[in-house]
Amino acid sequence: MIEIALLIGFFCFAIALILNLYRLAKGPSIADRVLALDTMVINGIAILILYGMYEGTAVYFEASLLFAMVGFLSTVAYCKFILRGDIIE
Amino acid sequence: MTDLTLNHWIVAPIILPALLAPIIVLAMRHDLFLQRVFSIAGTLALLAIAIGLTVQAAGGPPQSYELGNWDAPFGIVMVLDRLSALMVLLTGVLALVVVSYATASGWDRRGRHFHALFQFQLMGVCGAFLTGDLFNLFVFFEVLLIASYGLMLHGGGAKRTRAGVQYVAVNLVGSTLFLIAVGALYGVTGTLNMADMAVRAAQVPAADQAIFQTAGVLLLIVFAIKAATVPVQFWLPGAYANAPGPVAALFAIMTKVGAYAILRVYTLVFGAAAGDAAWLAADWLLPAALITLAVGMVGVLGAKGLVRLVCFAVIGSMGTLMIAIALFTPQATTAALYYLLHSTFAAAALFLLVDQVVARRRAAGDRIETAPRFLHLGLFAALFFAGAIGMAGMPPLSGFVGKLLVLDAAAAVPQMGLIWAVVLITSLICIVGFARAGSTIFWKADSLAPPSDQDQRAAAPSQPAPSLAVGAVSAMVVGMAALTLFAGPITGYLDATAAQLYEPAGYIRAVLGPDALAGR
Amino acid sequence: MEALVASGVGAMTAAGVYLILRARSFPVIVGLAMLSYAVNVFLFATGRLALDLPPVISKSAEAYTDPLPQALVLTAIVISFGMTAVIVVLALRAYLESGDDAVDIGATDSESADPPPDDPGDPPGEKEGAGR
Amino acid sequence: MDLALIVMLPFLGALLPGLMIRAGRDACALATGSVTLLALILLLAHAPAVFAGEVIQARWEWLPALGLNVTFFLDGLGFLFAGLILGIGLLIICYARYYLSRKDPMGRFYVFLLLFQGAMVGVVLSDNVLLLLIFWELTSLSSFLLIGYWKHLPEGRQGARMALAVTGLGGLAMIAGMLLLGQIVGSYDISEIIKHGPEIQDSPLYAPALILILLGCFTKSAQFPFHFWLPHAMAAPTPVSAYLHSATMVKAGIFLLARLWPALAGTDLWFYLVATTGLFTMVMAAWIALFKDDLKGLLAFSTVSHLALVTFLFGLGTPMGAIAGIFHIINHASFKAALFMTAGIVDHETGTRDIKKLGGLMGLMPITGTIASLAALSMAGVPLLNGFLTKEMMLHEALATDWAGIPGVVGLAAAVGALFSVSYSFRYIAHVFFGKRPEKFDHPPHDPPAGMYLPPALLIVPVVLIGLFPAAVAGPMVAVASGAVVGGPLPDYYLAIWHGFNLTLVASLVALAGGAFLLYRHAQAKAFREKFPRPEAKRIFESVVESCATLANRVTDALHDGSLRRIMAVTVSTAVIGGALAFMGAEHGAGAREGVPAAPIAVLTWAVLIGACIALVAFHRNRLLTLVIVGVVGVIVSLGFVYLSAPDLALTQISVEVVTVILLLLALNFLPKETPRESSSPRRARDGAIAALAGLGVGGLIFAILNRDFAIPTISDFHLANSKPGGGGTNVVNVILVDFRGFDTFGEIIVLGIAALAIYALLDGALKGPAVKRLQSWVPDQERARDRHPMMLVVATRVMLPLSLLVGVYIFLRGHNDPGGGFIAGLVVAIAFLMQYMASGYGWAERRVKIDYHLMIGWGVLAAGFTGVGAWIAGRPFLTSDFTYVTLPVVGTFEIATALAFDVGVFLTVVGSVMVALANLSRLARTTEAPVSDAPMDVDPTRRGRPAEEEG
Amino acid sequence: MDFLIEAIIAFLIIAAGFFGIVGSFGLAKLPDLMTRLHGPTKATTLGIGGVLIASMLYFIGERGEFSWHELLITLFLFLTAPITANFIAKSFLHRRMSAEERERLPAPGGEHGWATFDAPPVDPEDEAPALAAVRRRKP
Amino acid sequence: MRLFHRLFPHPFLTLTLVVVWLMLVNTVSAGHLVLGLILGAVIPLLTAPFWPARPKIRRFPTIVAYVSIVLYDIVKANVHVAWLVLFVPAGKLRSRFVTVPLSLTTPEAITVLAGTITMTPGTVSADVSADGRALLVHCLDAPDDQAVVDEIKQRYEARLKEIFE
Ligand code: NA
Ligand code: NA
């Protein structure tokens, strides 16, 4: 049962990724793209966790945590750049 | 493996500057005097160690040093043989001259962290010469490159920084290629240790040969970039011409790192025992080297600036060196090594000298045109003359002997006529180029105000020549003279060095143990 | 999977090469970053591909992927980070010094890279009379 | 030994003049003269042995591997030349003392002269062709200095450059020729080479060797078509001309012809090359000399002509020719040196060398006039003077020689040459010392001091004595020198004035009469000559060199135009083409490895990657967007690493990526936000093609690798097997990094450290000079939001900082056994600090960070380094690791590994480097505008309505 | 494994997948940046939360050990998502709003405008020493 | 007790860190407890300068209640947003900005409120006023401005006021 659920999950998040990609490509504004990228990272984390379950290993935890951290930081950095130009001031 | 014979001195040329540099950063960041003292002392120590290592290397077979006490090929090894010892020694000599010059001329005051970067640079160069591991070679390449970026940009300026962008960008492409090549080599041989790779080169199956040899050629291009060999020489004039004088002089060893790497890898891994891939580099290198020589010397003739002239002379000298390397015979390699020593001194001498001259010509800079005469013009003219005849390969300095050795070695190969023609014709071009430049800069300047010793002294009685700076230049000239004078014993050492290169079994046994070649 | 990785490496390389052939420092730097991505994957892949065989020793694992290229890539990543940082700062400084971020320099070098020694700023060495 | 001393004395002595000039000009000249005299005495001491037919040798090994040895030998030929060089040298030194004015730096002159003298002596005494080459080139160099001695004269500089270029060309050709000769014989010793004449002449290499060597000789001796440099070398001070162009340098070429005569002479090729060149040059140069109005110009071309005479004689390839040649060398040296010196005296006294402005000087300076006249008459070949004897011999040999089967041509040409020679010689006398005296001289000329006229006078002594008593005075010398040249028994010959009334004498008399007549009709002859174009050598040479230089400049600058695009395009293309050729040139088999199946999600991710790459190229002009896309690529690469069993890589890649993006954003703030469209369509197409090929190449290469197994077991099997037992960790990647290949990591952190130092130095420098001006006047190119430090982020980071640090520690500690380690931990901590910097700003955060990041880097490298050095104490190699398990109460058992200490070094360096780089970069922005508020957040509700208290 | 737990896990995964799609669909479909922002901030967060809880349960069920890691990630995402949204929204206000649209924004009510458009109140006495401190630190 | 205060000046943060540490290492052992305590003590000391004025947090039951409400609202919000996204045509959405005046005064409290607003039904906190007295909230579909404001103030702000002030 979980197997099937996992496959459905994979499928869903894959579709989500494609939708993010659509927004990333379409824009129109850079903020849209940043939002799309941020969402992509989160969906990526979801896929990673699903993959960990699929393989039965917890080895991808750090990667997920770091992805979350880094996704946040880079989104903030992009936005700060849009807002102020100078991201550390 | 054998702790009893462990020779820690082998890593000393790497560890010493690697520890000295952070100490300089930590403890004496704000005290230039201390930095100078420690930097010069450290360089002296390096030279002493290098001399010791050279003596050791001359006295026996190659020795290896297994870092982390892991058996080769699983860990990283440093290998001391005649060639690596020689290169470290050359580094030490050059470094001492350059650091003295930088201190004497005040170059080290024009920006931050000169001495720390300098020591790191030495670490990288020595590491590249000593390592027996291909990936570790990459790492040391990067160390020496990044230190050289810092040094090259020392002092700043719009043109220099832009040239720096180019220099860094080109080298990054080079590093990328290096990694591709190393990766591919690992992908087929399953090892990174060069001695082990040499053993495995013979076992690479036919199906993998294309990958193996492609990797070999890519690696050759990487080293050729460092060695400023056509067609990947374009970066050098911009980079060296815009580097501070002492740094450009130190860079004289950097092109040699490329030459060294070619000699090492293409005699060891792609040498006689490499089966289908044997002597891979030879066919590619010789034409490139001949064109390099021509491009360099034509550049000398066409240069409108003194610095650029020296840059092209360096390219030309790399061409000559590469010709000798490309022949891949022991005799030619002896010639190559001799020429390598010589051209390092010659390039350093000219860069240091030109630095002094440019500083004195003020607004005229390095342009090859008439400018007001300056104090001690005669002294600098004499030094320039010496550097020029060294670079042009005229007697009595070592360039002539080097050229004779190269020509003599080339006599044994079918391409003799071509090689001789190119070498000799480019020599003439070089002579004419240097004569033009020198007579314009030093003689015409003289003619603006007719010479009078009394006038000179009266004009500025209080300004002595920066004798240490001039001494540094002179030291390089003396070095060339010494190379000539002691050409016999030196070529004796080099002969044995070349013999070691063409008989890699000794190297392989030193690294992998006495039974390494039992299967052969 | 092999084809995907190989073509991915190829695509990143191609994009990187195209960008390093531009005339401004910024795209060149981005191109170099792309090249370093490409080469990192290349180097990693020389250990061949494996799914779910991380090289962490455990009793349950029956096999491991090749750890050595991974270690090499780690080193390479760090180094290329250092290099990228330097070139970014360098490009920035070049821009600030010259007011233009073109990467080409003229062929003529008749103007010295250094200001004449009597310019304001640090004096050259000879006044110090070292070696006296 | 003393042979070497003869050579070395001038070189060692060259140190003296520079010093002695401090004691005055006389002391300087005296010191220089003593050196030469001493050498001459040493040489003469060997005279008995030499005249007894002995060959004196001296030999030291120098570079035996090459066959380059310091070997000298002294035979008759060497003795003759060395004697001329030193003897005339001595006279020149004396003469120059009085010739040079007070304004001329005399010390330098004598230094150059001695260097030249040593080089010349070296040339004539060398018994090794390579050694000879060295001295040969030294003569070129030192003569370059001598000719250019008067640097303020442009003619001097040009003349010197021309001489250097021409003789340099010859020298290089000769290197090749000599090496070929050495190849044939198997030795570079001259005494060996000249024993192998037949062998050499049979070798297929003979012709090229001969031509190359002759190129050397003819350039040095100014033979056609290389005669043009010599007259321009006359810009030198007269002592130099007298020395170089009478006795020494130009004779070096002749010397070599004589020296190698046994090895090379006697073939048809030799005859046609050497004799023809000599004959032609003789006539041509004499004709030119006739019309030179410059005294030294006249003498210069007469020298060319007389050297040609000797060349012709050697070219005959007969012993008699050789004898005559040797004899003429002696004669020519004596009268020509005297002539140059008298020309110098005339110049010195009257202030001009222009024959048209001179005349009737005999009455004013009788001594000079007499000396000059005697020397000129000898040059003309008037009987009872030495010139007559060799002219007779030359005519005799010429009349007896056929050229290509045509008799008489040679004789006729020789006679014509002799006729011209007579004419210009008479002109030197008639138009300078006789005839109409000019209206006025600046100061009335008179004979110079004795020191100046004695040297030429001394030279006239042999001119007359040999002319009168040839056999007695010159006989032994000619015999022994010719014997050395011929290398065998000499034919019977008589050195005598009277050989009977024969064709030769007729020719000689005709030449004398004709010459006198020609001088009489000089004006008409000149008018006749004016009809022909006379290319001016100097201008042609200069324009050839200049156009070569210009061409070289154009080509070089066009190639090395400083374009990074070109460098990149060429580099990448080289790699692509080289790689492709290598690949296609070797055998390639398809791999047999079973592939990993591609899951749909992997295909999707791949598609995203490809799309991102395309988008990157398509949108690269929008720089911010570029960075976003790079972010996408980074995420995908990291995900790929995770998916393909490389968690460590994924962690590193993703954290490095974010730091890189931040770095680029910081820089982009100042840079233009758009990349202008600059490349033309063809260029973009070209770039696209290069890029596509590069991608194809790299992708193809890795594809080929991926599809095969390791043919040879990889060394990483060892790493997997020994990670836990030997390295004490289960994360093999980490154990490789900190242990198996810890040295790589050591280098790697040093790279990071250096990067930080370099960045610091760069940015520190940017805060001075034009950069800071530009920064201060910098205006943001986009509208900026008003709050710099949004409150929500500030609050969030306050919570996240301690948590992130905790995560950093966690990742650090587990690294040895699980994915993680010092590097990643360092990045995590750096990222945590970065968040703080971004949230509350540089100023605020900087004041709260008590750590000096520079020190962190230093300590990091030292920690790693000393961990490595620590192993030395245990007698192990650098970086040998150790680990142990420690059990403590309460805490339990845990592992302590030296590798951890090493990893601490890594950690510190990483944090320090990242922070130095980013902090300094953001510091740059602080110079642009009014300082930013030091408050942690802009919108601070706590400050409402009450004065905020100072925080922190 | 317990069927119930399995069922819960399966449900959570599927629900998470559903919300994941919805969030991204919203991102793709909705007409302007501000509305698009609603999709990812909520739906995706719940999606990832569901996955994480499922994973937690899965490892409890599978290995019998409680894995807290997922909780940490969830917490982290919940902490950061509003900040991200806030920044995107601010970017929108700053970059994508015309002058008229800004006029039409509801007023904050006090004497100061929204932080993106209006500089924060400056108390000269408050700022002066701090500025001086920053100036001092300049090299 | 004094010693405790000196060692752990921020006991709440220390406690959090210890718990997070144990979550990270995923084991509860004496060794890790010791290590966690050490880290929990050291890290707050290191980071103290970055969080100068730390709010006092009170009323733990209120916190629990607040968290529960928020979690419930998040789930609800998701269903609601899903409905809006999937089934309501874009043109029919009554999206708008509203101003939420604030009575909270600490940045921490305002931030938590803004975060909560973002995570809960149909609203995103877009900005704060320059003086910190109001939040700008964007509603995806809000027929009535005042209702949104009221709900936020009653449901969340009041509780946060209790917790933080
Ligand atoms: Na010459
Ligand atoms: Na490493």
Side-chain angles (χ1 to χ4, degrees), chain D residues 139-141 143-144 147 160 163-164 167-168 220 229 244 249:
Chain D
T139 62
S140 295
L141 286 174
S143 65
F144 173 74
I147 296 169
L164 182 68
T167 56
K220 202 76 154 182
W229 69 263
L244 266 61
M249 188 169 85

Side-chain angles (χ1 to χ4, degrees), chain D residues 542-601:
Chain D
E542 283 290 315
S543 74
V544 166
V545 169
E546 279 313 308
S547 40
C548 284
T550 307
L551 183 68
N553 179 265
R554 293 237 179 90
V555 170
T556 305
D557 285 0
L559 280 175
H560 303 78
D561 62 351
S563 157
L564 181 64
R565 280 180 286 179
R566 164 166 309 163
I567 301 176
M568 291 301 199
V570 172
T571 307
V572 174
S573 306
T574 306
V576 169
I577 295 168
L581 289 178
F583 196 91
M584 290 183 295
E587 199 175 332
H588 178 65
R593 184 182 166 89
E594 199 181 321
V596 174
I601 191 90

Side-chain angles (χ1 to χ4, degrees), chain D residues 134-477:
Chain D
I134 289 177
F135 288 119
W136 183 274
E137 297 281 36
L138 281 178
T139 62
S140 295
L141 286 174
S142 48
S143 65
F144 173 74
L145 295 173
L146 279 171
I147 296 169
Y149 174 73
W150 277 335
K151 304 166 201 173
H152 50 282
L153 301 178
E155 305 83 52
R157 292 195 300 269
Q158 285 168 4
R161 285 212 305 264
M162 203 195 297
L164 182 68
V166 176
T167 56
L169 163 78
L172 291 164
M174 214 164 70
I175 292 176
M178 293 299 195
L179 288 174
L180 283 178
L181 217 51
Q183 299 289 318
I184 300 171
V185 178
S187 165
Y188 288 121
D189 285 350
I190 292 172
S191 45
E192 277 302 305
I193 289 173
I194 57 180
K195 283 182 202 150
H196 290 76
E199 196 182 323
I200 290 168
Q201 293 177 11
D202 289 342
S203 160
L205 293 178
Y206 169 70
L210 177 64
I211 291 169
L212 289 166
I213 291 170
L214 287 179
L215 215 50
C217 296
F218 289 172
T219 50
K220 202 76 154 182
S221 293
Q223 296 300 290
F224 180 85
F226 306 109
H227 59 284
F228 58 86
W229 69 263
L230 194 131
H232 297 285
M234 294 302 155
T238 299
V240 174
S241 312
Y243 197 35
L244 266 61
H245 306 133
S246 64
T248 53
M249 188 169 85
V250 291
K251 291 239 168 80
I254 302 296
F255 166 80
L256 204 63
L257 288 180
R259 182 84 282 170
L260 295 176
W261 197 89
L264 301 176
T267 62
D268 279 353
L269 187 62
W270 169 272
F271 171 76
Y272 285 114
L273 285 177
V274 181
T276 311
T277 305
L279 197 61
F280 183 80
T281 310
M282 180 169 76
V283 177
M284 180 207 67
W287 171 251
I288 297 174
L290 184 54
F291 302 104
K292 280 285 165 190
D293 288 328
D294 176 18
L295 273 184
K296 279 168 77 178
L298 184 153
L299 291 179
F301 276 104
S302 80
T303 303
V304 174
S305 179
H306 279 267
L307 292 172
L309 191 159
V310 181
T311 304
F312 165 69
L313 288 170
F314 286 138
L316 295 175
T318 59
M320 270 315 290
I323 294 164
I326 287 294
F327 194 21
H328 193 64
I329 288 170
I330 299 171
N331 296 339
H332 176 253
S334 54
F335 66 67
K336 189 52 65 64
L339 280 170
F340 268 115
M341 289 188 205
T342 55
I345 291 170
V346 168
D347 183 16
H348 198 254
E349 294 297 320
T350 66
T352 182
R353 300 193 320 235
D354 189 342
I355 295 178
K356 285 183 296 189
K357 293 181 187 159
L358 292 167
L361 288 180
M362 189 57 109
L364 292 173
M365 33 202 315
I367 303 172
T368 312
T370 309
I371 297 168
S373 301
L374 280 172
L377 288 173
S378 175
M379 177 160 76
V382 171
L384 304 183
L385 296 170
N386 60 1
F388 169 73
L389 301 167
T390 32
K391 192 181 69 179
E392 288 288 284
M393 290 167 84
M394 182 273 288
L395 285 173
H396 180 80
E397 295 301 315
L399 288 168
T401 307
D402 295 353
W403 196 88
I406 314 164
V409 183
V410 176
L412 187 65
V416 170
L419 187 150
F420 292 157
S421 179
V422 168
S423 196
Y424 65 66
S425 301
F426 286 177
R427 184 168 180 240
Y428 186 83
I429 304 167
H431 289 185
V432 175
F433 294 98
F434 296 94
K436 195 163 152 257
R437 194 180 300 170
E439 293 301 311
K440 63 175 173 73
F441 291 104
D442 288 348
H443 36 171
H446 50 75
D447 275 320
M452 218 163 159
Y453 69 67
L454 272 181
L458 274 173
L459 288 166
I460 290 304
V461 174
V463 169
V464 176
L465 286 183
I466 294 172
L468 293 173
F469 316 106
V473 179
M477 189 65 249

Side-chain angles (χ1 to χ4, degrees), chain B residues 50-72:
Chain B
I51 291 170
L53 289 177
T54 310
V55 171
Q56 280 193 9
Q63 302 175 44
S64 87
Y65 184 82
E66 294 177 330
L67 287 147
N69 210 22
W70 292 106
D71 284 351

Side-chain angles (χ1 to χ4, degrees), chain B residues 36 104-105 107 109 135 142 149 153 156 158 160 162 164 166 172 176 180 183 186-187 308 359 362 366-367 467, chain C residues 39 42-43 46 48 66 72 83 90 93 97-98 100 102-104 107 109-110 114 117-118 122 124-125 128 130-131:
Chain B
R36 288 172 167 180
S105 62
W107 256 110
R109 270 193 287 130
F135 190 80
E142 300 304 299
Y149 304 156
L153 295 155
R160 177 173 295 153
R162 195 176 282 185
Q166 291 201 351
L172 282 176
T176 304
I180 291 175
Y186 175 78
R308 197 166 162 91
R362 313 237 154 196
D366 79 326
R367 286 192 297 277
S467 43
Chain C
V39 79
F42 182 102
L43 193 54
T46 58
R48 317 301 194 260
D66 189 341
L72 303 185
M83 297 287 172
L90 197 48
R93 177 147 179 208
E97 298 246 8
S98 60
D100 165 3
V103 285
D104 294 350
D109 54 339
S110 42
D114 294 302
D118 48 354
D122 290 15
E128 208 187 24

